[in-house]
């Protein structure tokens, strides 16, 4: 059977996926993918895998892809970083039976990628990239896709995308930031670049960047015309983002931990996910942050999560009606927790601003809020809520 290409590949194999979980190192593991799929994600990527290591190390293959068959974890795209055509293709050949496409990472901007000469640090080596994609397109039984970052210049970005398409790329994810935009310099992703690429190529395009809630997804699709939208940070803070829901932190944490029981992963992954989910709350309860950092077992992590829930739950019920919180949705332009708190509650929070338990309530609200909501929170006269 000939492999599908372009639009047909997106429509039939990827089931017209609009909501996409990004490849995230040590974070888009099977358990997290399954949680995300339960809550609206239609397509997931594996964490970025090193082609050279995947090729030579059977344990690495087993731990990252071969471990267990999981029919509900499809469609799935396996992402590799590589800088050698033969190594990339040989690794992809070992992975192709376990996924629906192979993605070449051309977007990682981190120093480790610079040292290893992969990711976004290959974006000037068009001849090498052409050879890698041409060979993969020729040898693999599944389509080859790419994830890129943009150049400052839109025209150069468009030519870059067209080159990848011509070489055989069947779907392109465009992160609307340059490789210099990272960490404290990340800034805002350029949807203008993404829109220009979408108009210039004839293959499906996913957008990446500036996605914190469902209304961002809808706005991005409307403004850029892309086929789908990929989320990384937004998904890590709220795995129900694509459902348009903003569930209580402990609900997502407990559900994730139950999945981990069935589909184990390294404890470091689990710990990292809970640090993301409980980010602001852990700044209030420092002793629980320290406990989470040093605990050595999954049961220990579950205990810390339970304690965080016990600390937050009663105080939230005292200050804000929990049923109101349960009704919060992302689908009202990211107006999450702020609109749910009436003026009387604001007064209570202001009056008891120095109470650490109420600071914990505010922290939990922040763990369920978007940046736009946090900007509103900053306007509240609540002394210790800035956690």
């Amino acid at each position: 059977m000939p492999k599908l290409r372009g639009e047909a590949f997106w429509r039939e194999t990827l089931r017209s996926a609009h909501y996409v979980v990004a490849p995230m190192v040590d974070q888009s593991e099977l358990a997290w993918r399954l949680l995300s799929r339960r809550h609206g994600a239609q397509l997931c990527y594996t964490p970025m895998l090193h082609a050279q290591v995947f090729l030579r190390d059977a344990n690495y293959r087993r731990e990252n892809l071969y471990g267990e068959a999981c029919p509900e974890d499809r469609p799935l795209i396996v992402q590799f970083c590589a800088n050698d055509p033969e190594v990339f293709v040989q690794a992809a050949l070992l992975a192709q039976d376990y996924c629906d496409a192979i993605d070449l990472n051309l977007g990682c901007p981190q120093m480790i990628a610079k040292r290893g000469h992969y990711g976004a640090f290959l974006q000037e080596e068009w001849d090498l990239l052409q050879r890698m994609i041409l060979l993969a397109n020729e040898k693999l039984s599944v389509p080859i896709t790419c994830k890129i970052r943009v150049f400052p210049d839109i025209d150069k970005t468009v030519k870059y995308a067209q080159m990848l398409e011509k070489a055989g790329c069947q779907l392109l994810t465009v992160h609307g930031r340059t490789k210099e935009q990272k960490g404290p310099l990340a800034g805002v992703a350029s949807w203008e670049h993404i829109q220009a690429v979408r108009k210039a190529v004839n293959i499906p395009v996913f957008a990446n960047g500036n996605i914190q809630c469902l209304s961002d997804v809808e706005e991005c699709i409307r403004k850029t015309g892309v086929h789908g939208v990929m989320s990384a940070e937004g998904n890590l803070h709220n795995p129900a983002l694509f459902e348009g829901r903003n569930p209580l932190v402990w609900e997502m944490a407990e559900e994730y931990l139950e999945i981990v029981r069935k589909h184990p992963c390294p404890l470091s992954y689990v710990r990292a996910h809970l640090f993301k989910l409980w980010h602001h709350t852990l700044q209030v309860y420092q002793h629980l942050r320290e406990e989470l950092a040093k605990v050595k077992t999954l049961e220990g992590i579950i205990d810390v999560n339970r304690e965080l829930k016990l600390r937050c739950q009663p105080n939230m019920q005292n200050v804000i009606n929990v049923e109101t919180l349960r009704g919060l949705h992302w689908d009202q332009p990211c107006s999450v927790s702020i609109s749910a708190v009436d003026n009387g509650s604001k007064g209570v929070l202001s009056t008891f601003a120095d109470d650490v338990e109420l600071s914990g309530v505010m922290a939990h609200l922040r763990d369920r809020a978007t940046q736009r909501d946090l900007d509103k929170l900053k306007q509240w006269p609540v002394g210790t809520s800035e956690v």
Side-chain angles (χ1 to χ4, degrees):
M1 178 180 175
K3 62 183 175 185
L4 297 175
R5 300 178 180 275
E7 290 274 348
F9 160 63
W10 172 73
R11 189 172 54 254
E12 297 183 35
T13 304
L14 302 186
R15 306 168 196 168
S16 301
H18 298 298
Y19 304 151
V20 186
V21 174
M24 297 176 283
V25 174
D26 297 346
Q27 295 282 262
S28 58
E29 85 287 355
L30 175 60
W32 190 260
R33 297 196 301 266
L34 293 176
L35 176 69
S36 299
R37 290 180 191 277
R38 287 184 182 181
H39 296 284
Q42 298 166 334
L43 169 65
C44 294
Y45 284 62
T46 66
M48 180 192 74
L49 305 177
H50 289 259
Q52 183 72 60
V53 181
F54 194 87
L55 187 57
R56 71 166 187 257
D57 190 334
N59 287 332
Y60 185 78
R61 294 195 293 272
R62 184 175 63 254
E63 291 167 2
N64 288 283
L65 192 61
Y66 290 4
E68 56 182 306
C70 195
E72 59 266 43
D73 188 34
R74 301 296 281 268
L76 177 69
I77 296 181
V78 172
Q79 187 187 72
F80 285 107
C81 66
N83 57 22
D84 179 281
E86 288 293 338
V87 170
F88 173 52
V89 170
Q90 289 304 311
L93 286 168
L94 292 174
Q96 66 179 0
D97 292 341
Y98 298 83
C99 63
D100 298 288
I102 299 293
D103 188 77
L104 177 60
N105 182 324
L106 300 176
C108 182
Q110 304 303 326
M111 186 56 64
I112 191 172
K114 184 175 183 179
R115 289 196 299 268
H117 193 55
Y118 61 79
F121 298 94
L122 296 179
Q123 69 178 176
E124 297 284 1
E125 300 189 35
W126 291 18
D127 179 66
L128 171 62
L129 296 180
Q130 282 180 308
R131 289 188 286 116
M132 292 177 74
I133 296 166
L134 281 166
L135 187 62
N137 194 41
E138 175 189 345
K139 300 292 186 181
L140 298 180
S141 62
V142 296
I144 175 74
T145 69
C146 298
K147 185 173 187 290
I148 66 171
R149 284 197 169 220
V150 300
F151 291 95
D153 181 68
I154 290 180
D155 288 342
K156 186 172 183 179
T157 302
V158 166
K159 290 176 182 175
Y160 182 43
Q162 289 173 327
M163 177 274 293
L164 296 172
E165 177 186 22
K166 186 177 180 180
C169 176
Q170 301 302 317
L171 181 148
L172 192 61
T173 299
V174 183
H175 186 154
R177 294 182 174 91
T178 67
K179 71 177 186 297
E180 289 75 28
Q181 287 181 272
K182 59 185 177 180
L185 302 177
V188 177
S190 170
W191 287 357
E192 185 180 2
H193 282 70
I194 298 172
Q195 181 187 43
V197 169
R198 171 67 186 98
K199 289 180 177 179
V201 299
N202 295 309
I203 55 175
V205 175
F206 290 159
N208 185 207
N210 304 344
I211 304 301
Q212 294 297 322
C213 56
L214 185 60
S215 63
D216 289 338
V217 175
E218 294 164 347
E219 183 181 7
C220 182
I221 292 174
R222 179 176 59 80
K223 286 188 173 181
T224 65
V226 292
H227 294 70
V229 172
M230 176 182 285
S231 175
E233 284 295 315
N235 166 261
L236 290 176
H237 285 286
N238 177 20
L241 182 157
F242 290 129
E243 274 187 323
R245 290 198 311 120
N246 191 39
L248 297 171
V249 171
W250 58 76
E251 291 180 1
M252 290 292 92
E254 288 172 343
E255 186 175 355
Y256 170 65
L257 291 169
E258 281 303 310
I259 297 173
V260 172
R261 285 184 188 275
K262 185 177 179 182
H263 303 281
C265 63
L267 210 61
S268 60
Y269 298 6
V270 182
R271 183 182 289 111
H273 281 302
L274 263 66
F275 272 122
K276 281 284 188 184
L277 289 171
W278 287 106
H279 175 72
H280 294 288
T281 307
L282 287 169
Q283 294 183 46
V284 174
Y285 302 111
Q286 287 286 338
H287 67 291
L288 291 175
R289 180 183 182 86
E290 292 167 7
E291 185 66 24
L292 180 59
K294 68 183 183 183
V295 70
K296 303 294 185 184
T297 65
L298 178 61
E299 292 305 318
I301 288 180
I302 291 171
D303 289 342
V304 174
N305 186 71
R306 185 181 300 114
E307 183 64 24
L308 283 163
K309 174 182 177 179
L310 291 173
R311 293 299 181 100
C312 291
Q313 199 172 31
N315 295 288
M316 290 187 71
Q317 289 172 337
N318 288 338
V319 179
I320 303 169
N321 186 293
V322 172
E323 289 308 311
T324 302
L325 280 177
R326 287 183 182 279
L328 295 174
H329 293 281
W330 293 109
D331 57 9
Q332 299 172 345
C334 300
S335 58
V336 193
S337 48
I338 311 312
S339 62
V341 185
D342 60 26
N343 291 329
S345 297
K346 291 180 188 177
V348 171
L349 289 170
S350 179
T351 302
F352 296 98
D354 292 327
D355 188 305
V356 69
E357 297 299 332
L358 291 184
S359 295
V361 173
M362 295 302 295
H364 184 274
L365 288 179
R366 290 168 188 278
D367 283 326
R368 295 270 45 86
T370 68
Q371 188 57 51
R372 292 177 217 178
D373 296 309
L374 298 186
D375 291 340
K376 295 179 186 177
L377 277 171
K378 291 175 185 176
Q379 299 171 13
W380 290 13
V382 182
T384 58
S385 67
E386 196 64 42
V387 295

